[in-house]
Amino acid sequence: MYATAAEIERLKPPGRRAFLPWLFMLTPDARHLFDRGTPLPWLGALGLAAFVGAYVAAVHAGLDPRRRATRTPLLALAGLAAVAFALGIGYAGNWLLCFPLLSLATGIVLRGHRRLGPVILVFACSAGVIASMRGGPSDSFTIGYGTVLSGLVTAAILSLFETVAQLRATRQELARTAVEKERLRFSRDLHDLLGHTLSVVVVKAEAVRRLAPRDLEAALGQAADIEAVGRQALTEIREAVTGYREGSLDTELDRARSALDASGIEADVHRSGPPLSPQAEALLGWVVREGVTNVVRHSGADRCEIDVRGGIDRVRLVITDNGHGVGSRPAEKDDSGGTGLKGLAERLAVAGGSLESGPDGRRGFRLVAELPVDTEDPMETTEAGQGAHIEGVRTA
Protein backbone atom coordinates (compact mmCIF):
# COMPACT_ATOMS: atom_id res chain seq x y z
CA MET A 1 0.00 0.00 0.00
CA TYR A 2 1.34 3.41 -1.00
CA ALA A 3 1.59 6.20 1.56
CA THR A 4 -0.58 9.24 1.00
CA ALA A 5 0.78 12.78 0.90
CA ALA A 6 -0.66 13.49 4.36
CA GLU A 7 1.04 10.39 5.80
CA ILE A 8 4.36 11.37 4.24
CA GLU A 9 4.02 14.88 5.67
CA ARG A 10 3.45 13.51 9.17
CA LEU A 11 6.65 11.46 9.01
CA LYS A 12 9.55 12.87 10.97
CA PRO A 13 13.02 13.03 9.38
CA PRO A 14 15.55 10.55 10.73
CA GLY A 15 17.67 11.94 13.54
CA ARG A 16 21.31 11.46 14.32
CA ARG A 17 20.75 8.32 16.36
CA ALA A 18 18.96 6.60 13.47
CA PHE A 19 22.27 5.99 11.68
CA LEU A 20 24.25 4.76 14.68
CA PRO A 21 22.87 1.18 14.69
CA TRP A 22 24.53 0.60 11.31
CA LEU A 23 27.82 0.43 13.18
CA PHE A 24 26.83 -3.10 14.25
CA MET A 25 27.98 -4.12 10.76
CA LEU A 26 31.50 -3.87 12.20
CA THR A 27 30.81 -6.54 14.85
CA PRO A 28 32.61 -9.28 12.81
CA ASP A 29 35.61 -6.99 12.50
CA ALA A 30 35.76 -6.50 16.26
CA ARG A 31 35.57 -10.26 16.78
CA HIS A 32 38.32 -10.74 14.18
CA LEU A 33 40.70 -8.78 16.37
CA PHE A 34 40.59 -11.58 18.97
CA ASP A 35 41.33 -14.35 16.48
CA ARG A 36 44.76 -15.90 16.54
CA GLY A 37 46.90 -14.95 13.62
CA THR A 38 45.46 -11.46 13.25
CA PRO A 39 48.43 -9.18 12.53
CA LEU A 40 48.82 -6.23 14.84
CA PRO A 41 45.45 -6.50 16.58
CA TRP A 42 46.12 -3.40 18.64
CA LEU A 43 46.55 -1.37 15.45
CA GLY A 44 43.27 -2.77 14.14
CA ALA A 45 41.55 -1.83 17.42
CA LEU A 46 42.85 1.72 17.13
CA GLY A 47 41.69 1.86 13.50
CA LEU A 48 38.24 0.56 14.47
CA ALA A 49 37.92 3.14 17.24
CA ALA A 50 39.06 5.90 14.87
CA PHE A 51 36.53 4.78 12.25
CA VAL A 52 33.66 4.78 14.74
CA GLY A 53 34.63 8.23 16.04
CA ALA A 54 34.97 9.71 12.55
CA TYR A 55 31.68 8.12 11.46
CA VAL A 56 29.78 9.56 14.45
CA ALA A 57 31.38 12.99 13.92
CA ALA A 58 30.53 13.02 10.19
CA VAL A 59 26.92 11.93 10.74
CA HIS A 60 26.27 14.39 13.56
CA ALA A 61 27.87 17.30 11.70
CA GLY A 62 26.09 16.44 8.46
CA LEU A 63 22.68 16.41 10.16
CA ASP A 64 23.30 19.60 12.16
CA PRO A 65 21.96 22.60 10.18
CA ARG A 66 24.36 24.97 11.93
CA ARG A 67 27.48 22.87 11.30
CA ARG A 68 26.61 21.52 7.87
CA ALA A 69 27.72 24.72 6.12
CA THR A 70 31.12 24.59 7.86
CA ARG A 71 34.17 22.48 7.02
CA THR A 72 33.64 20.16 9.98
CA PRO A 73 31.55 17.54 8.10
CA LEU A 74 34.01 17.43 5.21
CA LEU A 75 37.01 17.05 7.52
CA ALA A 76 35.27 14.25 9.43
CA LEU A 77 34.36 12.56 6.13
CA ALA A 78 37.95 12.82 4.88
CA GLY A 79 39.25 11.24 8.09
CA LEU A 80 36.63 8.49 7.82
CA ALA A 81 37.68 7.75 4.24
CA ALA A 82 41.36 7.56 5.20
CA VAL A 83 40.67 5.08 8.01
CA ALA A 84 38.33 3.01 5.78
CA PHE A 85 40.99 2.67 3.06
CA ALA A 86 43.66 1.81 5.63
CA LEU A 87 41.55 -0.92 7.26
CA GLY A 88 40.31 -2.26 3.93
CA ILE A 89 43.77 -2.54 2.44
CA GLY A 90 45.41 -3.80 5.62
CA TYR A 91 42.86 -6.42 6.72
CA ALA A 92 40.40 -6.91 3.79
CA GLY A 93 37.70 -9.55 4.44
CA ASN A 94 34.86 -8.28 6.60
CA TRP A 95 36.72 -5.04 7.07
CA LEU A 96 35.56 -4.05 3.60
CA LEU A 97 32.15 -3.39 5.20
CA CYS A 98 33.64 -0.07 6.22
CA PHE A 99 33.06 1.15 2.66
CA PRO A 100 29.22 0.91 2.74
CA LEU A 101 29.31 2.82 6.02
CA LEU A 102 31.67 5.35 4.43
CA SER A 103 29.23 5.73 1.53
CA LEU A 104 26.32 6.16 3.96
CA ALA A 105 28.15 9.00 5.74
CA THR A 106 28.99 10.51 2.35
CA GLY A 107 25.30 10.53 1.42
CA ILE A 108 24.54 12.42 4.63
CA VAL A 109 27.30 15.00 4.25
CA LEU A 110 27.15 15.59 0.47
CA ARG A 111 23.38 15.20 -0.13
CA GLY A 112 22.18 17.70 -2.67
CA HIS A 113 25.76 18.35 -3.83
CA ARG A 114 26.75 17.70 -7.41
CA ARG A 115 29.88 15.82 -6.30
CA LEU A 116 27.92 13.19 -4.41
CA GLY A 117 27.65 10.74 -7.32
CA PRO A 118 31.32 10.87 -8.40
CA VAL A 119 32.59 10.55 -4.82
CA ILE A 120 30.40 7.50 -4.09
CA LEU A 121 31.44 5.97 -7.43
CA VAL A 122 35.11 6.39 -6.50
CA PHE A 123 34.53 4.70 -3.14
CA ALA A 124 32.59 1.85 -4.76
CA CYS A 125 35.24 1.24 -7.41
CA SER A 126 37.98 1.35 -4.82
CA ALA A 127 36.14 -1.13 -2.61
CA GLY A 128 35.57 -3.41 -5.60
CA VAL A 129 39.25 -3.31 -6.62
CA ILE A 130 40.41 -4.07 -3.08
CA ALA A 131 37.88 -6.91 -2.79
CA SER A 132 38.91 -8.42 -6.14
CA MET A 133 42.57 -8.31 -5.16
CA ARG A 134 41.98 -9.87 -1.75
CA GLY A 135 38.71 -11.83 -2.02
CA GLY A 136 37.61 -12.63 -5.61
CA PRO A 137 35.27 -11.17 -8.29
CA SER A 138 32.00 -12.04 -6.51
CA ASP A 139 33.03 -10.15 -3.40
CA SER A 140 34.09 -7.16 -5.50
CA PHE A 141 30.64 -6.83 -7.13
CA THR A 142 28.79 -7.27 -3.82
CA ILE A 143 30.82 -4.73 -1.91
CA GLY A 144 30.78 -2.24 -4.80
CA TYR A 145 27.01 -2.51 -5.26
CA GLY A 146 26.40 -2.18 -1.52
CA THR A 147 28.62 0.89 -1.38
CA VAL A 148 26.76 2.65 -4.18
CA LEU A 149 23.32 1.71 -2.86
CA SER A 150 23.89 2.78 0.75
CA GLY A 151 25.10 6.26 -0.16
CA LEU A 152 22.53 7.08 -2.82
CA VAL A 153 19.55 5.74 -0.87
CA THR A 154 20.55 7.66 2.24
CA ALA A 155 20.97 10.90 0.29
CA ALA A 156 17.61 10.40 -1.49
CA ILE A 157 15.72 9.76 1.76
CA LEU A 158 17.18 12.77 3.52
CA SER A 159 16.56 15.01 0.49
CA LEU A 160 12.94 13.82 0.41
CA PHE A 161 12.39 14.73 4.05
CA GLU A 162 14.01 18.14 3.54
CA THR A 163 11.80 18.78 0.50
CA VAL A 164 8.68 17.87 2.49
CA ALA A 165 9.76 20.27 5.25
CA GLN A 166 10.30 23.07 2.72
CA LEU A 167 6.89 22.42 1.15
CA ARG A 168 5.25 22.52 4.58
CA ALA A 169 6.93 25.84 5.36
CA THR A 170 5.93 27.22 1.94
CA ARG A 171 2.31 26.19 2.46
CA GLN A 172 2.23 27.90 5.85
CA GLU A 173 3.71 31.04 4.34
CA LEU A 174 1.12 30.99 1.54
CA ALA A 175 -1.62 30.63 4.13
CA ARG A 176 -0.30 33.61 6.07
CA THR A 177 -0.06 35.65 2.85
CA ALA A 178 -3.60 34.72 1.90
CA VAL A 179 -4.89 35.82 5.30
CA GLU A 180 -3.03 39.12 5.02
CA LYS A 181 -4.51 39.78 1.58
CA GLU A 182 -7.97 38.85 2.83
CA ARG A 183 -7.57 41.31 5.70
CA LEU A 184 -6.39 43.98 3.26
CA ARG A 185 -9.41 43.36 1.03
CA PHE A 186 -11.79 43.58 3.95
CA SER A 187 -10.17 46.73 5.36
CA ARG A 188 -10.35 48.45 1.98
CA ASP A 189 -13.96 47.46 1.40
CA LEU A 190 -14.96 48.45 4.93
CA HIS A 191 -13.18 51.80 4.64
CA ASP A 192 -14.85 52.64 1.35
CA LEU A 193 -18.25 51.38 2.43
CA LEU A 194 -18.36 53.16 5.79
CA GLY A 195 -16.64 56.31 4.54
CA HIS A 196 -19.16 56.81 1.77
CA THR A 197 -22.17 55.72 3.79
CA LEU A 198 -21.41 57.91 6.80
CA SER A 199 -20.73 60.88 4.55
CA VAL A 200 -24.12 60.46 2.86
CA VAL A 201 -25.82 60.00 6.22
CA VAL A 202 -24.22 63.19 7.58
CA VAL A 203 -25.16 65.20 4.48
CA LYS A 204 -28.75 63.98 4.49
CA ALA A 205 -29.05 64.53 8.26
CA GLU A 206 -27.97 68.12 7.72
CA ALA A 207 -30.57 68.40 4.95
CA VAL A 208 -33.25 67.10 7.34
CA ARG A 209 -32.25 69.70 9.92
CA ARG A 210 -32.44 72.49 7.34
CA LEU A 211 -35.71 71.36 5.72
CA ALA A 212 -37.67 70.34 8.83
CA PRO A 213 -38.76 73.87 9.90
CA ARG A 214 -40.13 74.88 6.45
CA ASP A 215 -40.76 71.68 4.40
CA LEU A 216 -41.72 68.65 6.47
CA GLU A 217 -42.39 66.37 3.51
CA ALA A 218 -38.97 67.03 2.00
CA ALA A 219 -37.37 66.43 5.39
CA LEU A 220 -39.23 63.13 5.71
CA GLY A 221 -37.97 62.15 2.25
CA GLN A 222 -34.40 62.81 3.31
CA ALA A 223 -34.97 60.80 6.50
CA ALA A 224 -36.30 57.92 4.39
CA ASP A 225 -33.13 58.13 2.29
CA ILE A 226 -31.06 57.87 5.47
CA GLU A 227 -32.93 54.71 6.42
CA ALA A 228 -32.45 53.25 2.93
CA VAL A 229 -28.74 54.10 2.91
CA GLY A 230 -28.29 52.47 6.32
CA ARG A 231 -30.06 49.28 5.28
CA GLN A 232 -28.06 49.10 2.06
CA ALA A 233 -24.84 49.64 4.00
CA LEU A 234 -25.65 46.72 6.29
CA THR A 235 -26.22 44.49 3.24
CA GLU A 236 -22.99 45.60 1.60
CA ILE A 237 -20.98 45.04 4.77
CA ARG A 238 -22.30 41.48 5.01
CA GLU A 239 -21.37 40.93 1.35
CA ALA A 240 -17.92 42.40 1.93
CA VAL A 241 -17.33 40.02 4.84
CA THR A 242 -18.20 37.00 2.70
CA GLY A 243 -16.01 38.28 -0.12
CA TYR A 244 -18.65 38.16 -2.87
CA ARG A 245 -19.53 41.81 -3.21
CA GLU A 246 -19.86 43.03 -6.83
CA GLY A 247 -20.80 46.66 -7.19
CA SER A 248 -22.76 48.03 -10.16
CA LEU A 249 -21.40 51.16 -11.78
CA ASP A 250 -24.89 52.43 -12.63
CA THR A 251 -25.95 51.94 -9.02
CA GLU A 252 -22.92 53.85 -7.76
CA LEU A 253 -23.55 56.66 -10.25
CA ASP A 254 -27.15 56.98 -9.02
CA ARG A 255 -25.98 57.05 -5.40
CA ALA A 256 -23.34 59.61 -6.27
CA ARG A 257 -25.94 61.84 -7.91
CA SER A 258 -28.19 61.54 -4.84
CA ALA A 259 -25.35 62.29 -2.42
CA LEU A 260 -24.22 65.33 -4.43
CA ASP A 261 -27.76 66.68 -4.72
CA ALA A 262 -28.35 66.25 -0.98
CA SER A 263 -25.17 68.20 -0.21
CA GLY A 264 -26.12 71.06 -2.51
CA ILE A 265 -23.65 70.18 -5.25
CA GLU A 266 -24.85 70.20 -8.84
CA ALA A 267 -24.22 66.76 -10.36
CA ASP A 268 -23.51 66.26 -14.06
CA VAL A 269 -23.21 62.53 -14.83
CA HIS A 270 -22.52 61.06 -18.28
CA ARG A 271 -21.86 57.49 -19.35
CA SER A 272 -21.18 56.11 -22.82
CA GLY A 273 -19.59 53.04 -24.37
CA PRO A 274 -20.17 49.28 -24.46
CA PRO A 275 -21.13 47.23 -21.39
CA LEU A 276 -18.30 46.37 -19.00
CA SER A 277 -17.41 43.17 -17.24
CA PRO A 278 -18.68 42.80 -13.65
CA GLN A 279 -15.12 43.10 -12.34
CA ALA A 280 -14.48 46.35 -14.22
CA GLU A 281 -17.80 47.78 -13.07
CA ALA A 282 -17.01 46.86 -9.48
CA LEU A 283 -13.61 48.57 -9.58
CA LEU A 284 -14.95 51.72 -11.23
CA GLY A 285 -17.83 51.70 -8.75
CA TRP A 286 -15.27 51.91 -5.94
CA VAL A 287 -13.61 54.85 -7.69
CA VAL A 288 -16.92 56.70 -8.02
CA ARG A 289 -17.76 56.00 -4.39
CA GLU A 290 -14.40 57.23 -3.07
CA GLY A 291 -14.18 60.19 -5.45
CA VAL A 292 -17.66 61.50 -4.69
CA THR A 293 -17.10 61.00 -0.96
CA ASN A 294 -14.00 63.19 -1.19
CA VAL A 295 -15.91 65.83 -3.14
CA VAL A 296 -18.68 65.93 -0.55
CA ARG A 297 -16.36 65.94 2.47
CA HIS A 298 -13.35 67.97 1.34
CA SER A 299 -13.90 70.01 -1.81
CA GLY A 300 -16.34 72.77 -0.86
CA ALA A 301 -17.48 72.67 -4.49
CA ASP A 302 -20.89 73.58 -5.90
CA ARG A 303 -20.54 71.53 -9.10
CA CYS A 304 -19.20 68.05 -9.84
CA GLU A 305 -18.97 66.28 -13.19
CA ILE A 306 -18.64 62.51 -13.61
CA ASP A 307 -17.84 61.22 -17.10
CA VAL A 308 -17.51 57.53 -18.00
CA ARG A 309 -16.38 56.75 -21.54
CA GLY A 310 -15.80 53.20 -22.71
CA GLY A 311 -13.68 52.27 -25.70
CA ILE A 312 -12.78 49.05 -27.44
CA ASP A 313 -9.95 48.16 -25.09
CA ARG A 314 -10.11 50.57 -22.16
CA VAL A 315 -12.63 52.58 -20.17
CA ARG A 316 -11.93 56.04 -18.74
CA LEU A 317 -13.62 57.59 -15.70
CA VAL A 318 -13.12 61.28 -14.92
CA ILE A 319 -14.44 63.07 -11.80
CA THR A 320 -13.92 66.83 -11.63
CA ASP A 321 -15.17 69.54 -9.30
CA ASN A 322 -14.78 73.29 -8.97
CA GLY A 323 -13.79 73.23 -5.32
CA HIS A 324 -10.59 74.12 -3.53
CA GLY A 325 -8.19 72.28 -5.80
CA VAL A 326 -5.32 70.57 -4.04
CA GLY A 327 -6.90 71.27 -0.69
CA SER A 328 -9.80 69.02 -1.56
CA ARG A 329 -7.78 65.82 -1.76
CA PRO A 330 -7.60 63.60 1.36
CA ALA A 331 -3.89 62.91 1.07
CA GLU A 332 -3.49 63.01 4.82
CA LYS A 333 -5.83 60.01 5.07
CA ASP A 334 -3.86 57.91 2.61
CA ASP A 335 -0.41 57.96 4.22
CA SER A 336 -1.15 54.92 6.32
CA GLY A 337 -1.60 52.81 3.18
CA GLY A 338 -4.35 50.54 2.01
CA THR A 339 -7.21 53.11 2.20
CA GLY A 340 -8.64 55.93 0.13
CA LEU A 341 -7.19 56.93 -3.22
CA LYS A 342 -3.93 55.15 -2.49
CA GLY A 343 -5.70 51.84 -1.95
CA LEU A 344 -7.73 52.32 -5.13
CA ALA A 345 -4.58 53.11 -7.12
CA GLU A 346 -2.96 49.89 -5.91
CA ARG A 347 -6.04 47.83 -6.78
CA LEU A 348 -6.35 49.35 -10.27
CA ALA A 349 -2.62 48.90 -10.92
CA VAL A 350 -2.82 45.19 -10.18
CA ALA A 351 -5.79 44.92 -12.58
CA GLY A 352 -3.81 46.65 -15.36
CA GLY A 353 -5.30 50.11 -14.86
CA SER A 354 -4.20 53.43 -13.42
CA LEU A 355 -5.47 56.19 -11.13
CA GLU A 356 -4.30 59.81 -11.29
CA SER A 357 -5.42 62.73 -9.19
CA GLY A 358 -4.46 66.35 -8.87
CA PRO A 359 -5.57 69.98 -9.25
CA ASP A 360 -7.77 70.82 -12.25
CA GLY A 361 -6.42 74.14 -13.41
CA ARG A 362 -6.54 77.08 -11.03
CA ARG A 363 -9.62 75.83 -9.23
CA GLY A 364 -10.96 72.34 -8.63
CA PHE A 365 -9.77 68.78 -8.39
CA ARG A 366 -9.55 66.07 -11.03
CA LEU A 367 -9.61 62.28 -10.58
CA VAL A 368 -8.92 60.09 -13.62
CA ALA A 369 -9.18 56.28 -13.63
CA GLU A 370 -8.43 54.02 -16.59
CA LEU A 371 -9.04 50.29 -16.73
CA PRO A 372 -9.02 47.53 -19.35
CA VAL A 373 -12.53 46.61 -20.51
CA ASP A 374 -12.00 42.91 -19.75
CA THR A 375 -10.31 42.72 -16.37
CA GLU A 376 -10.39 40.74 -13.15
CA ASP A 377 -10.63 42.12 -9.66
CA PRO A 378 -7.20 41.41 -8.13
CA MET A 379 -8.77 40.68 -4.75
CA GLU A 380 -11.14 38.13 -6.23
CA THR A 381 -8.28 36.49 -8.14
CA THR A 382 -6.27 36.19 -4.97
CA GLU A 383 -9.20 34.75 -3.03
CA ALA A 384 -9.96 32.19 -5.77
CA GLY A 385 -6.35 30.99 -5.93
CA GLN A 386 -5.82 30.71 -2.20
CA GLY A 387 -9.33 30.25 -0.81
CA ALA A 388 -8.49 26.82 0.60
CA HIS A 389 -5.66 28.26 2.68
CA ILE A 390 -7.90 31.04 4.01
CA GLU A 391 -10.62 28.60 5.02
CA GLY A 392 -8.07 26.38 6.72
CA VAL A 393 -6.72 29.25 8.78
CA ARG A 394 -10.24 30.50 9.60
CA THR A 395 -11.32 27.14 10.94
CA ALA A 396 -8.10 26.84 12.91
Side-chain angles (χ1 to χ4, degrees), residues 2-242:
Y2 294 98
T4 63
E7 292 173 345
I8 293 177
E9 186 176 343
R10 286 194 296 266
L11 294 177
K12 295 182 179 180
R16 303 171 187 175
R17 297 180 181 179
F19 297 97
L20 297 183
W22 291 102
L23 290 173
F24 284 102
M25 294 175 57
L26 301 179
T27 301
D29 300 332
R31 293 173 55 186
H32 181 259
L33 295 175
F34 297 96
D35 294 341
R36 293 183 179 181
T38 300
L40 301 175
W42 61 270
L43 185 60
L46 290 178
L48 181 61
F51 183 89
V52 172
Y55 175 86
V56 173
V59 169
H60 280 218
L63 294 177
D64 189 348
R66 295 172 298 180
R67 300 172 60 189
R68 185 184 175 188
T70 65
R71 299 179 60 184
T72 302
L74 296 177
L75 294 177
L77 185 62
L80 182 65
V83 176
F85 274 94
L87 292 175
I89 295 174
Y91 292 95
N94 290 329
W95 291 88
L96 292 174
L97 293 176
C98 292
F99 281 95
L101 292 176
L102 172 62
S103 179
L104 188 149
T106 303
I108 295 174
V109 174
L110 297 181
R111 65 186 185 279
H113 199 282
R114 62 182 181 179
R115 296 182 180 179
L116 173 64
V119 171
I120 290 181
L121 185 60
V122 169
F123 290 159
C125 293
S126 301
V129 170
I130 296 173
S132 63
M133 294 174 59
R134 303 291 297 271
S138 61
D139 292 340
S140 64
F141 175 79
T142 301
I143 196 67
Y145 177 76
T147 301
V148 171
L149 192 63
S150 62
L152 294 182
V153 169
T154 301
I157 292 176
L158 291 178
S159 298
L160 175 62
F161 277 108
E162 291 176 351
T163 301
V164 170
Q166 292 175 359
L167 290 175
R168 185 187 298 114
T170 302
R171 189 183 67 177
Q172 294 175 352
E173 182 63 26
L174 287 175
R176 285 192 294 268
T177 303
V179 172
E180 291 176 0
K181 291 185 177 181
E182 172 72 1
R183 290 173 177 171
L184 177 61
R185 179 200 68 81
F186 180 72
S187 65
R188 285 174 172 174
D189 288 1
L190 192 62
H191 168 271
D192 295 337
L193 285 171
L194 293 182
H196 174 80
T197 300
L198 293 178
S199 297
V200 173
V201 169
V202 170
V203 170
K204 289 186 174 294
E206 292 176 349
V208 171
R209 179 172 53 82
R210 292 195 307 268
L211 295 173
R214 61 178 186 272
D215 192 345
L216 183 58
E217 291 186 1
L220 291 177
Q222 295 293 336
D225 289 343
I226 294 177
E227 181 182 359
V229 169
R231 293 183 183 278
Q232 182 64 28
L234 291 176
T235 302
E236 291 178 347
I237 290 175
R238 285 193 293 267
E239 292 174 349
V241 171
T242 57

